Amino acid sequence: FRESVSGLEAGSTVKMKGVRVGQVEKITIEERDVESVIVTLALTPGTPIKVDTRAVMTSIGITGLKVVELTGGSATAKPPPRQTCHPPR
């Protein structure tokens, strides 16, 4: 993320099309680019992530609780390069 992630925490919900598909695992500032924040996600195995899937931070409810919403991900797009995946805790 290039913007502030204030209000987002480890354990925050990750959703895709309104369905809970994981949680935020950790949040760090990029060492080589202090303008960027890296948010590591733990997703449920089988979550259909594609190279054109994007993560956006949004607020839900009147409390303004922060969540990560995964958007996009066309059916014809390929999955991203294989990465180590850990199921949500």
Side-chain angles (χ1 to χ4, degrees):
F1 290 92
R2 303 287 293 173
E3 71 273 6
S4 170
V5 295
S6 182
L8 191 67
E9 302 176 349
S12 292
T13 298
V14 177
K15 292 186 172 197
M16 182 177 230
K17 298 194 179 285
V19 177
R20 189 178 201 283
V21 294
Q23 66 185 24
V24 173
E25 190 168 89
K26 69 179 179 177
I27 302 171
T28 57
I29 296 174
E30 169 61 58
E31 290 179 22
R32 296 175 300 251
D33 178 8
V34 296
E35 298 288 321
S36 295
V37 177
I38 297 179
V39 178
T40 303
L41 307 178
L43 301 176
T44 303
T47 301
I49 302 300
K50 304 290 185 153
V51 294
D52 57 350
T53 300
R54 299 289 174 252
V56 295
M57 190 173 68
T58 188
S59 299
I60 58 172
I62 59 172
T63 61
L65 183 67
K66 300 292 186 187
V67 300
V68 174
E69 181 76 32
L70 301 177
T71 63
S74 59
T76 57
K78 294 182 180 187
R82 187 173 177 90
Q83 297 178 359
T84 303
C85 295
H86 304 283
R89 292 180 212 161

